[in-house]
Amino acid sequence: MMSAADHHIHPHPHADDHHAVGHHDGDHGSHGSMRDYLIGFFLSVILTAIPFWLVMTGAIADKQATALVIMAFAIVQIVVHMIYFLHMNTKAENGWTVMALIFTIIIVVIALSGSLWVMYHLNHNMMPMSHDMGQLP
């Protein structure tokens, strides 16, 4: 058993280890280079400028189509940010970051679709019909 004095002499068996928690020998490639950050930056600027241009010039006459195009650009931009800035890939953390992302997406889709379904049916079932409006007091 080590005394308090021995603990100060030999603080921790791995005290000289230069690897921080969570960093392993195979994870050196998970951090981006300056080139990766610049690619991500320029893609982000382009994916922001194109929807801005679409809205400001009215290039697409249909507002719903414009909204769908902007949402598609937003989804692509989310993927660009996850890859180039958050360094999410199947190699980082042995794929657990991608698994956590997939799980999160599934939970969000279930919550959103369930909420929309409930709100639609509440609106449909609880609102009075137009022919019943004359019978209301």
Side-chain angles (χ1 to χ4, degrees), residues 16-31 91-94:
D16 293 332
D17 194 5
H18 290 58
H19 300 288
V21 175
H23 290 94
H24 304 288
D25 291 332
D27 283 347
H28 292 298
S30 66
H31 296 287
K91 295 175 189 158
E93 302 287 332
N94 293 325

Side-chain angles (χ1 to χ4, degrees), residues 49-109:
I50 293 172
F52 182 79
W53 174 79
L54 288 173
V55 170
M56 294 305 290
T57 62
I60 302 174
D62 185 19
K63 292 187 183 220
Q64 285 183 331
T66 304
L68 290 173
V69 169
I70 290 172
M71 284 191 267
F73 274 99
I75 291 169
V76 172
Q77 191 165 96
I78 289 170
V79 172
V80 166
H81 281 252
M82 288 188 316
I83 292 171
Y84 287 101
F85 300 122
L86 297 177
H87 313 295
M88 291 184 74
N89 57 34
T90 56
K91 295 175 189 158
E93 302 287 332
N94 293 325
W96 283 108
T97 54
V98 174
M99 292 297 290
L101 173 68
I102 292 169
F103 177 74
T104 303
I105 289 171
I106 289 171
I107 295 299
V108 167
V109 166

